[in-house]
Amino acid sequence: MKGFARAALAAALLIGASPLAGPAAAQGTVKFGALYPFSGGLALLGDESFRGFELAVEERNAAGGIDGKKIEFIKGDAVDPNQAVGEARRLTSVDKVSAIFGTYSSSLSLAATQVTELANIPYFELGAISDPITERGFKYVFRTNATARDFANRMVDSVIEAIAPALGAKPGDLKIGIIHEDSLYGQTVSGFQKARAKEKGLNVVEVLPYSAKSVDLTPVILRLKSAGADVVLQTSYQNDTVLFFRQMKDQGYKPKAVMGAGGGYSTRDTMMAVGAENMEGALDVDFTQYNTNPKAAPGIEEFVKMYKAKYGIDPRSGHSLANYMGARVFFDAIAAAKSTDADKVRAAVMKVDIPIGQTATGWGAKFSEQGQNTRATPFLMQWQGGNLVTVFPEAAAVAKMKVGIGAN
């Protein structure tokens, strides 16, 4: 990274800690940080994401660890960007971890990675999707999962390729409503949705931001209803997803299709809070879910067995699977580097070359110079009979897409 950019980062963060020594690990172990939102409003999916990382650690340690060293991890709880910065500083300067894994939330990742970049510590992002995370010229930030642009493009393209044909309508005749929570996550996805919709000639009638902490989305729903939106694209966390479905029912608004960008749409907890009959037919562009054809995602069945054996339930969303897959890729890269030196780890990550369809998520792994995996793509899911099932692409599908929202 260029010198002036690093200096600007340091000034922005007002780093006051003493100079860092190189990463240290106890004899016979390699120490990593696990930075997720374990409390607060993002805790459900933060913990679900962590579970995938934890399973990957246990699997690796059972196989002998990394170069014979057991993996030890130290948790960091990041409720908001300020806490993410504080926890990243603690993990790097006090706990002396060799790398940090995380994070689920884009705003948390964007903040924490500034700390690790200055400390020359690799940061492995396994779940946050906002594109700027890997677009800042950072040398030691790497991400295995798909980006907001990937999610947005898949959502808009699904209107054209799946929803319009199923409705027997021309894509340009459908009225599209875009709604999103107003943090970095929602802003990034919705921005790409608007651009893609314009490029494809779709008719966007409303773009409505709101706070994820909202307790009333009635104004948003009434705007959509008044505009006659046929298809709603929502970027949301869990609480606002639940609120939207409940109040959509209260207001008697029943669009022809509703599609989420992962987040709250991906969890069983959301479905249970809303009711399977009300969530029926809702679409979700998302990380690979466990109801996916194993031929397209080798290892997914084994992952589900491990998850159920440890936690006693089925995976709550695909976030655990995405973090499991990503952690495994980076553990292999660190082992190949035969060192936790950041430059050697980067060189090893740049050599990773896994074809699409050869991991438990169905993704491949090949990293750009920016550290972004170019072989990760979100799938199209749908809630059917209380289960989130893959409906596209065909090779990964376990069900056919249905039309309509709510039980008939």
Side-chain angles (χ1 to χ4, degrees):
M1 192 169 102
K2 294 182 180 178
F4 77 87
R6 189 175 291 270
L9 254 180
L13 284 169
L14 299 176
I15 296 295
S18 58
L20 294 174
Q27 185 73 26
T29 66
V30 57
K31 192 186 298 184
F32 297 139
L35 185 60
Y36 295 90
F38 290 107
S39 58
L42 304 181
L44 174 65
L45 287 177
D47 180 65
E48 181 65 12
S49 299
F50 165 74
R51 287 184 175 187
F53 170 74
E54 185 176 38
L55 287 171
V57 169
E58 293 183 358
E59 179 186 62
R60 190 78 188 201
N61 281 341
I66 294 178
D67 291 334
K69 294 182 178 180
K70 295 286 178 143
I71 298 170
E72 173 189 352
F73 64 80
I74 300 172
K75 295 168 71 173
D77 184 10
V79 173
D80 57 37
N82 287 334
Q83 192 169 341
V85 167
E87 288 289 80
R89 286 176 177 167
R90 174 181 65 82
L91 290 168
T92 55
S93 63
V94 177
D95 296 309
K96 305 292 186 183
V97 299
S98 298
I100 293 180
F101 292 75
T103 313
Y104 167 58
S105 166
S106 294
S107 58
L108 302 180
S109 179
L110 204 69
T113 49
Q114 296 182 74
V115 176
T116 55
E117 186 70 12
L118 284 169
N120 295 328
I121 299 292
Y123 196 103
F124 301 117
E125 183 52 60
L126 312 177
I129 69 172
S130 286
D131 294 63
I133 291 169
T134 49
E135 291 181 345
R136 295 167 293 168
F138 286 10
K139 188 176 180 182
Y140 304 119
V141 175
F142 311 96
R143 174 166 54 185
T144 41
N145 59 275
T147 68
R149 184 190 297 272
D150 298 323
F151 273 69
N153 288 353
R154 173 71 83 190
M155 292 176 79
V156 172
D157 292 353
S158 293
V159 173
I160 300 168
E161 298 169 2
I163 295 174
L167 293 171
K170 295 180 180 179
D173 291 340
L174 294 173
K175 295 179 180 179
I176 313 298
I178 295 174
I179 65 174
H180 64 92
E181 62 82 33
D182 60 5
S183 77
L184 181 64
Y185 165 50
Q187 292 175 30
T188 309
V189 175
S190 64
F192 287 125
Q193 286 173 341
K194 288 185 288 185
R196 187 70 164 186
K198 182 177 180 180
E199 175 190 341
K200 296 295 184 178
L202 297 186
N203 180 21
V204 176
V205 294
E206 288 284 6
V207 178
L208 303 171
Y210 62 85
S211 170
K213 298 178 182 179
S214 295
V215 294
D216 186 9
L217 291 178
T218 301
V220 172
I221 293 165
L222 291 178
R223 285 276 296 272
L224 292 170
K225 190 175 182 180
S226 176
D230 301 305
V231 179
V232 177
L233 308 182
Q234 182 179 24
T235 305
S236 54
Y237 291 113
Q238 188 198 13
N239 292 341
D240 47 320
T241 304
V242 171
L243 186 63
F244 177 67
F245 273 84
R246 285 177 175 171
Q247 295 190 326
M248 187 167 56
K249 182 180 180 182
D250 291 343
Q251 295 300 322
Y253 175 50
K254 198 168 184 179
K256 296 173 182 176
V258 175
M259 188 188 314
Y265 278 71
S266 66
T267 71
R268 292 191 63 81
D269 296 68
T270 299
M271 181 273 296
M272 293 173 69
V274 170
E277 69 281 5
N278 298 316
M279 203 80 178
E280 182 72 16
L283 294 159
D284 177 33
V285 167
D286 210 339
F287 295 149
T288 310
Q289 303 295 315
Y290 69 95
N291 282 314
T292 296
N293 190 332
K295 292 182 180 178
I300 192 170
E301 293 175 309
E302 290 76 8
F303 166 79
V304 173
K305 289 177 182 177
M306 282 193 298
Y307 188 104
K308 292 177 72 172
K310 182 170 180 64
Y311 303 112
I313 58 174
D314 286 327
R316 295 173 292 183
S317 84
H319 291 77
S320 50
L321 178 61
N323 279 251
Y324 167 78
M325 173 269 180
R328 292 187 70 189
V329 169
F330 290 131
F331 290 164
D332 286 345
I334 294 168
K338 299 189 180 300
S339 171
T340 55
D341 173 79
D343 288 316
K344 292 180 180 178
V345 169
R346 175 179 170 81
V349 170
M350 291 298 107
K351 292 179 182 177
V352 171
D353 189 358
I354 303 172
I356 291 174
Q358 296 300 309
T359 70
T361 57
W363 309 337
K366 183 69 175 176
F367 294 88
S368 69
E369 285 297 314
Q370 295 177 313
Q372 174 61 44
N373 182 12
T374 61
R375 295 178 181 169
T377 56
F379 292 168
L380 179 63
M381 326 284 176
Q382 188 173 45
W383 283 100
Q384 296 183 7
N387 292 302
L388 187 58
V389 297
T390 303
V391 295
F392 186 86
E394 186 176 345
V398 294
K400 296 288 186 181
M401 193 190 84
K402 299 178 181 179
V403 178
I405 293 295
N408 296 320

